[in-house]
Amino acid sequence: VHTRHRVVAIMPREQQVVVDDLDGGGERRESYDRLLIACGALPVRPALEGIDSDGIHQVNSFGGGLRLRELLDRQSPQRVVVVGGGYIGVEMAEALHQRGLPVTLVQRPAQLMSTLDAEMAEAFAEYLTRAGVTLRLGEAVQGFTSQNGRVSGVVTDQGTIAGDLVILGLGVTPNSALARAAGIPLGVRESIRVNQRQETETANIWAAGDCAESHHLISGRAVHLALGTVANKQGRVAGINLADGEASFPGVLGTAITKFMEGECSRSGLSERELQELGWEYVTATVDGHTLPRYYPGSAPIRVKVLAAKGTGRLLGVQIVGGPGSAKRIDTAAVALQAGLTLEELLYLDLSYAPPFSGVWDPLVIAARLALKET
Amino acid sequence: VHTRHRVVAIMPREQQVVVDDLDGGGERRESYDRLLIACGALPVRPALEGIDSDGIHQVNSFGGGLRLRELLDRQSPQRVVVVGGGYIGVEMAEALHQRGLPVTLVQRPAQLMSTLDAEMAEAFAEYLTRAGVTLRLGEAVQGFTSQNGRVSGVVTDQGTIAGDLVILGLGVTPNSALARAAGIPLGVRESIRVNQRQETETANIWAAGDCAESHHLISGRAVHLALGTVANKQGRVAGINLADGEASFPGVLGTAITKFMEGECSRSGLSERELQELGWEYVTATVDGHTLPRYYPGSAPIRVKVLAAKGTGRLLGVQIVGGPGSAKRIDTAAVALQAGLTLEELLYLDLSYAPPFSGVWDPLVIAARLALKET
């Protein structure tokens, strides 16, 4: 039976960690042969006035989710303000909208879902506005007002938004403080630098999950992606190698997916913004189609955008926005990206067709055909 | 304004076709520079006693579908017998079951859906039996009884099945009679032999669609697949080449998909039977999982089977059976098959994950992991 411990320092030279016994046993040292750092990520929490008021929630842990649900059941808040329009912000907006609460989503960036290109993000944002969510984009949060210690509003550079429940969805940063203090080299956005075996640059120390760097399969650059799929794969690779096995994590495409009610969106590979940052020449094509033949019940709009290398036609990225049944199709694109397929090769993919499932030409294939003309 | 014509002969040496003016103008010859044969396929219609009785329907054309619906509306049949348990048979069984009719499906083969492996087909068959469809498998149809010219039953080697509406879904054969008569070389199952440009072996004559052969991307063999996706792609390639363009059809994986009510199935690549016919050594693994995390509303069972080459681990085939949201995932496998990926490469696919869409490890990836142990 274990007491509760917290690691407070890593000493790579001594191959020891300093642990604090949280049940009062004080600090002591523990030796290791091999060490895995899997500290995850911490939610961004800016030091804004009033941020510690009651009713301001983060939902980055199971306990945090339970506390929020308890508050919803017990205190029946009347107006919700979600701060941040990424995956967490959108998913919390959906959950609270589904409970019948009026939701305002506010953020500094002018574009919801920064991992999508602007016109795709706008198409997705329409699902939120149509459902009645108030979007306040391009509006910087500066603090919070409160009454009797309880939040009453969100102060921005454009006014005050009334709200008695505030959800913060401002992203995460790698929890790499222990590694940094131990002199373990960090990489992108302070995430722990690792190789494809999940080894850090310090002997006998591995890192995996939201605290660690990843290799981007298309750009070839190091990236930090705090996603469950990446964390699971990195953990598997680290575990195998720690146990004297042989495993290698090839890298990531940044595949991601979310929804708001009927609206779905997903992406894989590089976006226009990322390609511009790399200075790569690219072509794009966007197709508006339907998930199923239009005559078939349940047919929904789907917009597919492809990005490919100018010249070679190598697929570089795909984004999807649409109704039910749209977004999961990104997996087809993710395999094509991982396999390094070109637009030409996409044209003759043998994808499944039957009216309850799709049209005879997949929108991805149609988009590839259009983009091919631009290469 | 054109009159209606039917081509009754092709004369490759003269580069002419003989056309019959169906409005009484008689036969005449027409010259061609290039000729495309796109005659499609004909439904199999065995010469069984009573097969021409009223109430025995094929649904291989738009008109045939309309006639059937008219009969359903007008004559209100009471008991349906579907002969044949392939895609058409299953889809017609669904359509008639949805109209509230009791359906019996009878066929000689012991296994429904012959393009699936036995245990996958059995899992799919359960969706039909659970819905109340009577499956009579391994029972050979020998003829039909009738009363006043109208079908009253299906006679088999095991008795007579009462029914006042019979649907024949016995597959199709390439409509290659004109080509054969003209001496154009035929291939598999009498389909017209073509190269990747859709050229037949006779000068200036192309063929595309259900009448033409295809190249199988995994087996490397010629196959005949009467599927809409294949026909569309072949037609595009033939059209480009006929117009002096350059296009090449790489081939097919035999990707196919269908459903019966809540039950879905799909396949791509080679099945165990096909691999055994080729004499290839292979490994398989089957995983029973869920389309979504089990706690998420709408989560349904999904079974994924992968087949891969013994030794190299190259993916050879994938089959899926499950509830809503299962079968379309075959597209992920189809791209992996087309790109020639190995089981090892499948392990680290960057597929999308969020609870409304999937679990964190895709069943395809889990199956690949299990199969890898067998290679």
Side-chain angles (χ1 to χ4, degrees):
Chain A
V1 186
H2 255 46
T3 52
R4 297 174 306 133
H5 295 104
R6 188 166 54 111
V7 173
V8 294
I10 300 167
M11 299 188 301
R13 205 132 13 129
E14 296 84 350
Q15 290 200 206
Q16 290 185 325
V17 290
V18 181
V19 295
D20 184 16
D21 182 336
L22 295 180
D23 295 316
E27 282 190 7
R28 66 164 196 282
R29 293 187 173 201
E30 295 268 11
S31 293
Y32 64 80
D33 295 323
R34 293 170 184 182
L35 183 72
L36 173 66
I37 306 178
C39 293
L42 296 170
V44 171
R45 190 175 171 88
L48 297 175
E49 195 179 329
I51 198 166
D52 293 324
S53 309
D54 286 347
I56 300 182
H57 285 249
Q58 286 168 165
V59 284
N60 57 296
S61 67
F62 191 67
L66 289 180
R67 278 193 297 280
L68 173 59
R69 195 169 67 179
E70 201 179 279
L71 174 140
L72 286 164
D73 290 340
R74 213 181 53 230
Q75 300 191 358
S76 308
Q78 298 300 306
R79 300 180 64 84
V80 184
V81 182
V82 173
V83 183
Y87 295 95
I88 297 298
V90 165
E91 289 167 16
M92 287 309 301
E94 182 191 49
L96 296 163
H97 171 78
Q98 278 183 311
R99 289 183 73 114
L101 287 166
V103 176
T104 298
L105 190 153
V106 60
Q107 65 168 16
R108 187 181 350 216
Q111 179 190 316
L112 201 71
M113 299 300 295
S114 62
T115 58
L116 297 176
D117 287 334
E119 79 280 16
M120 300 299 282
E122 276 161 30
F124 182 64
E126 280 176 26
Y127 287 97
L128 282 85
T129 50
R130 249 183 276 153
V133 172
T134 304
L135 292 184
R136 297 178 68 151
L137 309 179
E139 188 167 343
V141 172
Q142 298 177 325
F144 304 90
T145 58
S146 64
Q147 289 180 335
N148 308 321
R150 185 171 168 77
V151 69
S152 59
V154 177
V155 181
T156 75
D157 56 359
Q158 291 168 48
T160 297
I161 309 165
D164 53 354
L165 173 62
V166 172
I167 309 291
L168 300 178
L170 293 166
V172 296
T173 48
N175 185 8
S176 56
L178 272 179
R180 169 201 290 275
I184 298 167
L186 304 185
V188 176
R189 291 174 56 199
E190 313 269 272
S191 59
I192 302 172
R193 185 171 293 160
V194 291
N195 63 16
Q196 292 200 326
R197 290 171 47 82
Q198 300 301 134
E199 291 170 319
T200 70
E201 293 180 3
T202 301
N204 305 310
I205 302 183
W206 276 253
D210 288 0
C211 64
E213 225 178 44
S214 293
H215 170 79
H216 198 290
L217 288 167
I218 306 293
S219 72
R221 303 277 177 99
V223 288
H224 177 248
L225 283 173
L227 291 170
T229 44
V230 176
N232 269 272
K233 279 174 243 172
Q234 289 191 348
R236 182 168 190 274
V237 168
I240 290 170
N241 289 327
L242 278 163
D244 283 325
E246 267 297 338
S248 179
F249 181 49
V252 300
L253 296 166
T255 309
I257 188 168
T258 193
K259 70 185 273 286
F260 180 91
M261 306 305 289
E262 297 267 289
E264 303 182 355
C265 71
S266 55
R267 51 97 66 212
S268 187
L270 300 173
S271 65
E272 289 209 44
R273 186 175 48 73
E274 289 168 318
L275 286 165
Q276 284 158 10
E277 281 168 13
L278 288 166
W280 290 9
E281 278 201 290
Y282 63 92
V283 299
T284 77
T286 303
V287 160
D288 282 299
H290 288 81
T291 54
L292 310 181
R294 294 182 70 163
Y295 61 80
Y296 202 89
S299 179
I302 178 173
R303 175 178 292 181
V304 177
K305 177 174 184 172
V306 305
L307 303 101
K310 182 101 185 154
T312 66
R314 184 191 171 191
L315 188 66
L316 298 176
V318 177
Q319 297 171 37
I320 300 176
V321 172
S326 296
K328 189 64 178 157
R329 299 182 185 204
I330 199 69
D331 288 352
T332 308
V335 182
L337 283 161
Q338 199 135 348
L341 297 192
T342 63
L343 294 173
E344 186 84 38
E345 289 171 313
L346 290 184
L347 295 192
Y348 298 108
L349 289 180
D350 195 355
L351 304 178
S352 58
Y353 159 65
F357 298 99
S358 64
V360 74
W361 290 103
D362 194 282
L364 174 67
V365 173
I366 300 173
R369 197 188 293 164
L370 294 178
L372 188 58
K373 292 183 188 165
E374 310 298 320
T375 57
Chain B
V1 185
H2 255 46
T3 52
R4 297 175 307 134
H5 294 105
R6 190 166 54 112
V7 174
V8 294
I10 300 167
M11 300 189 299
R13 208 141 3 137
E14 295 84 350
Q15 291 200 204
Q16 290 186 325
V17 291
V18 181
V19 296
D20 184 15
D21 182 336
L22 295 180
D23 295 316
E27 282 189 8
R28 67 164 196 283
R29 293 185 173 203
E30 295 268 11
S31 293
Y32 65 80
D33 295 322
R34 293 169 184 181
L35 184 71
L36 173 67
I37 306 177
C39 293
L42 297 170
V44 171
R45 191 178 171 85
L48 297 174
E49 195 178 329
I51 198 166
D52 293 324
S53 309
D54 287 346
I56 301 183
H57 285 248
Q58 288 168 162
V59 283
N60 57 297
S61 67
F62 191 67
L66 289 180
R67 278 193 297 279
L68 174 59
R69 194 169 69 179
E70 202 181 277
L71 174 141
L72 287 164
D73 290 339
R74 214 181 52 231
Q75 300 191 358
S76 308
Q78 299 300 306
R79 300 180 64 84
V80 183
V81 183
V82 174
V83 183
Y87 295 94
I88 296 299
V90 164
E91 288 166 16
M92 287 309 301
E94 183 192 49
L96 295 162
H97 171 78
Q98 278 183 311
R99 288 183 74 115
L101 287 166
V103 176
T104 298
L105 190 153
V106 60
Q107 65 168 18
R108 187 178 354 213
Q111 178 190 318
L112 201 72
M113 300 299 296
S114 61
T115 57
L116 298 176
D117 288 334
E119 80 280 16
M120 300 299 282
E122 276 161 28
F124 182 64
E126 279 175 28
Y127 287 97
L128 282 83
T129 50
R130 249 182 277 153
V133 172
T134 304
L135 292 184
R136 297 179 68 150
L137 308 179
E139 188 167 342
V141 172
Q142 298 176 328
F144 305 90
T145 58
S146 64
Q147 288 180 335
N148 307 322
R150 187 173 166 75
V151 70
S152 59
V154 178
V155 181
T156 75
D157 56 358
Q158 290 168 47
T160 297
I161 309 165
D164 53 354
L165 173 62
V166 173
I167 309 291
L168 301 177
L170 294 166
V172 296
T173 48
N175 184 9
S176 56
L178 272 179
R180 169 202 289 276
I184 298 166
L186 305 185
V188 176
R189 290 174 56 198
E190 314 269 272
S191 60
I192 302 171
R193 185 170 292 159
V194 290
N195 64 15
Q196 293 199 326
R197 290 171 47 83
Q198 300 301 134
E199 291 170 318
T200 70
E201 294 180 2
T202 301
N204 305 309
I205 302 183
W206 276 253
D210 288 359
C211 63
E213 224 177 46
S214 293
H215 170 79
H216 198 289
L217 288 167
I218 307 293
S219 72
R221 304 276 176 100
V223 289
H224 177 248
L225 283 173
L227 291 171
T229 43
V230 176
N232 269 272
K233 279 174 243 170
Q234 289 192 347
R236 182 169 189 273
V237 168
I240 290 170
N241 290 326
L242 277 163
D244 283 325
E246 268 297 338
S248 179
F249 181 48
V252 300
L253 297 166
T255 309
I257 188 167
T258 193
K259 71 183 274 286
F260 181 91
M261 306 305 288
E262 296 269 289
E264 303 182 355
C265 70
S266 56
R267 51 97 66 213
S268 188
L270 300 173
S271 65
E272 289 210 42
R273 185 172 50 71
E274 290 168 317
L275 287 165
Q276 284 157 11
E277 282 168 10
L278 288 166
W280 289 10
E281 278 201 290
Y282 63 92
V283 299
T284 77
T286 303
V287 161
D288 282 299
H290 288 81
T291 54
L292 310 181
R294 295 182 69 161
Y295 61 80
Y296 202 90
S299 178
I302 178 172
R303 175 177 292 181
V304 177
K305 176 173 185 173
V306 305
L307 303 101
K310 182 101 186 155
T312 66
R314 185 192 170 190
L315 188 65
L316 298 175
V318 176
Q319 296 170 37
I320 300 175
V321 172
S326 296
K328 189 63 181 157
R329 299 182 184 205
I330 199 69
D331 288 352
T332 309
V335 183
L337 283 161
Q338 199 135 349
L341 297 192
T342 63
L343 294 173
E344 185 84 37
E345 289 170 311
L346 290 184
L347 295 193
Y348 298 107
L349 289 180
D350 195 354
L351 304 178
S352 59
Y353 159 66
F357 297 100
S358 62
V360 73
W361 289 104
D362 194 282
L364 174 67
V365 174
I366 300 173
R369 198 188 290 165
L370 295 178
L372 189 58
K373 293 183 187 164
E374 311 298 320
T375 55

